[in-house]
Amino acid sequence: MKKLWQKNNKKLDPVVEAFETKGDLLMDQKLIEYDILASIAHVKTLNKLFLIGIISEPELKKLLKGFEEILNLYKKGEFDLKIGDEDMHTKIENYITEKYGDIGKKIHTGRSRNDQVLTAIRLYSKNALESIELELTNLTKSFKGFSKEYGYIQMAGYTHMQKAMPSSIGLWAGSFIDSLENDLTLLKIVYKLNNQSPLGSGAGYGVPIKLDREYSAKLLGFTRVQQNPLYCQNSRGKIEASIIAALISVLQTINKFASDVLLFTTSEFSFFKATGKITTGSSIMPQKKNVDLAELLRSKVHLVLGNYIQMVSLSSNLISGYNRDLQDSKKPLIESLEITLETLMVTKILLENLTPNKEKLEAAMTEDLFATEEVLKQVLKGETFRDAYKQVGKKYLKGGDTNEKDD
Amino acid sequence: MKKLWQKNNKKLDPVVEAFETKGDLLMDQKLIEYDILASIAHVKTLNKLFLIGIISEPELKKLLKGFEEILNLYKKGEFDLKIGDEDMHTKIENYITEKYGDIGKKIHTGRSRNDQVLTAIRLYSKNALESIELELTNLTKSFKGFSKEYGYIQMAGYTHMQKAMPSSIGLWAGSFIDSLENDLTLLKIVYKLNNQSPLGSGAGYGVPIKLDREYSAKLLGFTRVQQNPLYCQNSRGKIEASIIAALISVLQTINKFASDVLLFTTSEFSFFKATGKITTGSSIMPQKKNVDLAELLRSKVHLVLGNYIQMVSLSSNLISGYNRDLQDSKKPLIESLEITLETLMVTKILLENLTPNKEKLEAAMTEDLFATEEVLKQVLKGETFRDAYKQVGKKYLKGGDTNEKDD
Amino acid sequence: MKKLWQKNNKKLDPVVEAFETKGDLLMDQKLIEYDILASIAHVKTLNKLFLIGIISEPELKKLLKGFEEILNLYKKGEFDLKIGDEDMHTKIENYITEKYGDIGKKIHTGRSRNDQVLTAIRLYSKNALESIELELTNLTKSFKGFSKEYGYIQMAGYTHMQKAMPSSIGLWAGSFIDSLENDLTLLKIVYKLNNQSPLGSGAGYGVPIKLDREYSAKLLGFTRVQQNPLYCQNSRGKIEASIIAALISVLQTINKFASDVLLFTTSEFSFFKATGKITTGSSIMPQKKNVDLAELLRSKVHLVLGNYIQMVSLSSNLISGYNRDLQDSKKPLIESLEITLETLMVTKILLENLTPNKEKLEAAMTEDLFATEEVLKQVLKGETFRDAYKQVGKKYLKGGDTNEKDD
Amino acid sequence: MKKLWQKNNKKLDPVVEAFETKGDLLMDQKLIEYDILASIAHVKTLNKLFLIGIISEPELKKLLKGFEEILNLYKKGEFDLKIGDEDMHTKIENYITEKYGDIGKKIHTGRSRNDQVLTAIRLYSKNALESIELELTNLTKSFKGFSKEYGYIQMAGYTHMQKAMPSSIGLWAGSFIDSLENDLTLLKIVYKLNNQSPLGSGAGYGVPIKLDREYSAKLLGFTRVQQNPLYCQNSRGKIEASIIAALISVLQTINKFASDVLLFTTSEFSFFKATGKITTGSSIMPQKKNVDLAELLRSKVHLVLGNYIQMVSLSSNLISGYNRDLQDSKKPLIESLEITLETLMVTKILLENLTPNKEKLEAAMTEDLFATEEVLKQVLKGETFRDAYKQVGKKYLKGGDTNEKDD
């Protein structure tokens, strides 16, 4: 397929072409829908410049029809990018030109692939972040339901993986509710940062015709125009990094929950049981029932952490303006959004397939958990805290811990 | 020095003790001031529980006097933590007990080092973030001044490190202004996340006496109480990570600016000159004048990126509640805040010691930069964009680029 | 498809199943070939236990036929893993059982998916590392050829991005040759670490029948058996991390080369020209010819760096023995190997499409580059180095650098 | 203090100077000893050029005396770098010049700070790696002793944190022995990579006098000369990264051990007991005895992982030759070496203060651990593996797990 910038028939080395586009086309495949939405907004904006007459009303209609066709093909899985296609922008322009003639050659007036792809990425992220917010809210509701149902049950609280003080399922579940609430605050702010329209910023230095950027921004649902065209490009790698950091925060919450679940479902603890819907077996050990779903939830924060490194590291030490290194920033962003969305959905399923083992939980409420309370009781009788602490401490460590003897 | 938890005279192995506390004491040394502020708020809160009578009015006065003494000693550099001190909390409690007797043994009533150190860290971060916001605002002003003075000067705009389109110093400086504005949005939100009082959450499971957490939060200037005591502990590593991510955003902006400066001050570009106040020489090459300050600014995002990894990675795969791994999270946080603050201050100095080389900048405004404009002119005459693009392109690449011949 | 561990008809939640296997099946698709090789070695080893008679000679023949069939289907693209397949091990066992009956049910005797997948990963890595070594050697040869052809040409040497001392293309190319040589040393050692057979270690605790692990290791081309079965599992995430670290070293070399190429092909430097085979254009600016291939080579070290984080971070803070978090370690390993292999191949193409611009290179050999030589000449006349340095320095900085005046 | 490159009295801005040198001086303070060793080798090499007569025999004697003085002052803590000193090289040259006159001005003949600091770093790393190898060997011995003493004791083997198959303390300890052995292989190779002398490579482009680099390399104990002077500089960030990667491998081993210890010393598991020499208490809960030493060992791999990121990320996307960003690479290297050394020493102490709780370990050897053995017994009786697996599985999961009912 002919590239947008090819003026003659010179060709790229095929190994080079594969290296440059193979992985990228997979990402573009996920962005196509948004690229078309951006194209629609762009040609409408061009049409608005009616005195100049770049795109007339009938031309606009034809173009909109063409874009809709592509969207439909895409949804049916019949608009797949292949090696040789360079990228989605090229494929779309070529499709229109082949089918509708010269008006296809007009759609790139006043834009660059630099602002075009960035617009598609922003729209994709906007959409994904909305879904993530929704799933996070759903998960929060599940935790609230869990807490309502089982919150009254007592539970040992741990520090240093050792029994520390009395806690409860309510306190435990509540910690995740508050954690998710903080995560939501972060998601909302990166959503806002992402909600700026780069369309019309061209290659990073504006375009020589006066496009109504407010108009195209509004058509696309952006709350504002990202004014400085060079910052549009320079914000690549930066706004994405902020998005990923917010996702990491969400995944840290899930990681904590999954870590707890894995410890609390060991046979030694047995605080919770998981239903068969979420456990799997071993290929060699017939007796096994593993909560390995929790292990795969636990691992996700690490994957996205690696993506964050990719994002920040590859976009650093580069001068202003578009550098093609940025092409490699699509994958860590898109993957991170996908991972987080799925993780939230699946965590909800894990939670809903978890039931407390009340008997075991109660049995774990041993006397030592109440040592601090005992100290405080003596304090209320007039003892200083530190002296009461020492007295109570002696009782527990002398009696219960033979190990102490050889200290 | 006797540890808070020592009930007898058993001692830690000295190698173990050094390993556990050596680096941590350096961090505590930076936190002492905030630990004392938190202690003051705590004893005032204990005093408020007057019916229970844990700390009486005269005792409170003595304690406040004691804390003030320590603060003064600290400011004079006479309250230095040394190996054997365990941590700042211990040293402070011991100081009070030695000098003022048994009331020292009361100050730890109703708190744990877990909520105490977290309170100190939050206060430290709050303070550091305020300074960072201020310096960021100052730097923004400098960029505005720079733009006002030199903004009119034309400058070549680059993509792929190759000349692309006409730009200006105004556009270039403006990109950093907008970038810093986005960074500020992030700083404000992490400031807000950090602005929750963990004091009174004890070891992560609350305390058995009814402390007025709203009161102590207010005394310390926090806007709200972080309610769930377990989440207080579980937010360690999480809120800090969010703070560091915001700092990385700031440092990405600086990294871009520094990268530009280093390219634009090469003798080959010579777009800007740096004064001798910020350049240094070589020990072997007498002719050199390096803008190495920009190199050291450029490197900072990478250092803080590493700190982010430390923060997220060390706090993952851990169960709920305090785990001592978290002790190692102090350094990446504190270091990142310090680095960012200094970087902002020094970037301002770099900017103020930079002057455009108008002659060189103008000479770089070669005809090819206007090729896109030429295309658009033909578009306005009725040509489609793509055809006009091809025509103009042939002119430039045939004539100017002998390399093209052997394609 | 029925899972290996399913004893009845209970099913996993489909969302859970997709989450658990979707991405993993893509990795297994790349490992199938090696999994079959490992299966062949395993059934041969079982057959060797002839006194016990687990697998008889005729059964072995049938199994080998079955495995060959799968391999052929695989190579024709007709053995594709789909959601529902759980993993490659299951699909293979099920295929054999369906087609050849009960002997299929014997192949998993004395092994676990834990040692099985690890064996496949090791074989995959072994193969990939061999290809990488080959391509690295080819690239080294190209650098040697480049140096032989152009090495004599003088070139300015830079420090701090400023002209420093005289250099040459030979010195420059030589630096990459030496760098690749060091990288090769690392590749060889991780190849050796990887070259241990985990087959026969079962789930991490050995198997209750006496398999001849030396025999299966030899069949698979491993130089030794990885003895401790628990370490087989515990080395997951560790040996992979070492492999990735060696790849990062290779990619650091490429990153440096690409960074140089990008600076040296700017119009301001023009030290080198790239042919049209590797340059691409802009969709909006018709005059552009970008060496963006070098940008995509430059970015690769960052991607693999992120993969390294994923590997180390996800496998840390886990107890001994297999944890399913490790499933997520396949992708960063496989991706990193693939990226490095392609990067080496493409770097060679970049180098071969690069020609020095002798005129420009010579013009850049300005007098100041020889200042250090001038100093040394004075030293040979009896001056101390530091005094000679000061004298020569004054000459250059007074005369040449008007900027110095306003210091 | 006057800088080596100052030809007049212009001064750096003091904020800039602090930013540039404050942290770096702390690193230089650790390198001084090695910088002096390198200086001694350098002046001896200069002296060897006797025909040229740069440094005469009597001058050499004086210089060696001067260097020895500095070494002694340094060891007594009386040669401390302070803000204003620029760096150790400057301070040393200035000391000699002030005390011994003009011969001080000769010592920098034929070298640059670029090769000088790199030589010091290599020597420091060489020394640190030797200590690390020694401590790793000591730890291995301790694991062997532990295994000898307790290896016979049975222990449950875990996968997915669930009981899986029978294991033993011998198998468990053995896994760490094998892991450390692999780590040693890596340490040896990075030791070798580091063992190249950069002295004499100047600023990266050689020096205009013919120094006998083999001679100085030999004096310093390097096994070979790093030939290409540009690669000397370009290997900065690369060889260090390889060193850190090897250290990460060591710390992964420790992380696994510490993770196990923390789980196995919970009251729920109680497989091992730790003596009071390594446990610490809580400031609020008097009953606590935490093995928090293991937590601080567990966290170390994460710190060094962050350092690795810093190293690779800051040295990427930079052109060939020295760039001052590299100054910031000293700290992650030195810190990582120090952390690893201490971690190994302390892990040994942890191990030596751990004793198995035989009773608990035996009690955990429940019947289900032997399910796989049961399957294999049936296989030996002629059953296929998969059918036997299903039968045995039903027995365990029907009986023991009431949860299974509602699957």
Side-chain angles (χ1 to χ4, degrees), chain A residues 208, chain B residues 164-166 366-378 385 388-389 391-393 395-396, chain C residues 284-288:
Chain B
M165 286 178 75
T366 45
E367 195 197 4
D368 52 326
L369 288 166
F370 299 90
T372 307
E373 222 168 299
E374 213 175 319
V375 171
L376 265 304
K377 270 182 200 152
Q378 297 206 27
F385 172 78
Y389 169 93
Q391 277 173 29
V392 175
K395 168 179 150 193
Y396 283 98
Chain C
I284 176 172
M285 296 166 286
Q287 86 284 10
K288 295 274 290 187

Side-chain angles (χ1 to χ4, degrees), chain B residues 158-160 162 164 265 268 274 276 282-283 285 287-290 295 313 316-317 372 386 389 403 407, chain C residues 158-160 162 164 265 268 274 276 282-283 285 287-290 295 313 316-317 372 386 389 403-404 407:
Chain B
Y158 289 76
T159 65
H160 304 273
Q162 298 289 344
T265 55
E268 288 77 6
S282 152
S283 69
M285 296 166 288
Q287 86 282 12
K288 296 273 292 188
K289 261 190 55 185
N290 304 316
E295 295 171 289
S313 191
S316 295
N317 294 9
T372 307
R386 192 58 62 203
Y389 169 93
N403 183 31
D407 267 354
Chain C
Y158 289 76
T159 63
H160 305 272
Q162 298 290 343
T265 55
E268 289 76 6
S282 154
S283 68
M285 296 166 286
Q287 86 284 10
K288 295 274 290 187
K289 262 190 55 184
N290 303 317
E295 295 172 290
S313 191
S316 295
N317 294 7
T372 308
R386 192 56 63 203
Y389 168 93
N403 183 30
E404 195 67 14
D407 267 356

Side-chain angles (χ1 to χ4, degrees), chain B residues 85-344:
Chain B
D85 277 343
E86 190 169 38
D87 58 34
M88 58 182 170
H89 319 301
T90 310
K91 192 178 174 83
I92 292 169
E93 180 174 326
N94 284 344
Y95 178 93
I96 301 280
T97 305
E98 272 161 35
K99 182 130 182 209
Y100 294 91
D102 271 9
I103 55 163
K105 296 181 179 174
K106 293 183 166 187
I107 63 174
H108 209 61
T109 318
R111 78 176 178 190
S112 156
R113 283 181 298 185
N114 290 359
D115 62 336
Q116 200 183 345
V117 71
L118 184 48
T119 305
I121 291 169
R122 292 266 165 88
L123 290 172
Y124 177 92
S125 301
K126 208 160 124 67
N127 189 275
L129 285 169
E130 284 162 11
S131 303
I132 285 168
E133 277 196 30
L134 183 68
E135 290 303 329
L136 186 143
T137 308
N138 286 340
L139 177 59
T140 304
K141 276 181 204 153
S142 287
F143 270 113
K144 284 182 180 165
F146 189 83
S147 183
K148 204 171 170 187
E149 190 169 357
Y150 306 119
Y152 71 96
I153 302 173
Q154 279 202 301
M155 189 176 174
Y158 289 76
T159 65
H160 304 273
M161 296 185 74
Q162 298 289 344
K163 280 187 191 181
M165 286 178 75
S167 177
S168 68
I169 290 190
L171 185 67
W172 181 64
S175 74
F176 300 111
I177 294 167
D178 283 14
S179 193
L180 289 169
E181 187 203 303
N182 277 192
D183 301 334
L184 193 58
T185 306
L186 282 170
L187 286 175
K188 282 185 188 303
I189 207 76
V190 298
Y191 182 83
K192 189 182 145 191
L193 277 181
N194 180 70
N195 207 354
Q196 314 180 46
S197 175
L199 195 59
S201 62
Y205 302 97
V207 285
I209 51 170
K210 209 152 173 53
L211 294 170
D212 184 345
R213 294 188 62 197
E214 295 292 342
Y215 178 67
S216 61
K218 206 178 150 188
L219 287 175
L220 291 167
F222 286 114
T223 49
R224 64 176 178 124
V225 166
Q226 189 174 17
Q227 292 298 346
N228 186 294
L230 184 54
Y231 180 52
C232 290
Q233 288 308 311
N234 288 357
S235 65
R236 285 196 71 174
K238 241 186 114 227
I239 291 182
E240 290 95 322
S242 294
I243 291 173
I244 298 180
L247 301 178
I248 286 173
S249 193
V250 174
L251 295 172
Q252 284 180 300
T253 304
I254 306 303
N255 177 276
K256 184 67 75 197
F257 174 62
S259 299
D260 284 353
V261 166
L262 284 160
L263 185 67
F264 294 158
T265 55
T266 57
S267 60
E268 288 77 6
F269 277 75
S270 291
F271 285 180
F272 292 93
K273 289 179 289 187
T275 71
K277 263 186 213 151
I278 57 159
T279 55
T280 54
S282 152
S283 69
I284 176 173
M285 296 166 288
Q287 86 282 12
K288 296 273 292 188
K289 261 190 55 185
N290 304 316
V291 197
D292 46 5
L293 180 57
E295 295 171 289
L296 288 170
L297 290 171
R298 183 171 60 179
S299 68
K300 293 305 174 282
V301 70
H302 307 287
L303 300 186
V304 175
L305 182 62
N307 290 349
Y308 182 80
I309 292 303
Q310 294 178 340
M311 186 61 75
V312 177
S313 191
L314 78 80
S315 61
S316 295
N317 294 9
L318 299 181
I319 62 157
S320 281
Y322 180 73
N323 298 284
R324 193 157 173 192
D325 316 60
L326 290 170
Q327 176 179 300
D328 279 331
S329 71
K330 287 179 191 170
K331 185 154 164 269
L333 174 69
I334 291 175
E335 251 186 33
S336 299
L337 287 163
E338 286 182 352
I339 286 173
T340 308
L341 181 60
E342 286 173 17
T343 298
L344 284 166

Side-chain angles (χ1 to χ4, degrees), chain C residues 32-44:
Chain C
I32 283 181
E33 200 174 342
Y34 302 99
D35 198 41
I36 291 173
L37 292 179
S39 289
I40 290 171
H42 182 63
V43 295
K44 284 185 177 171

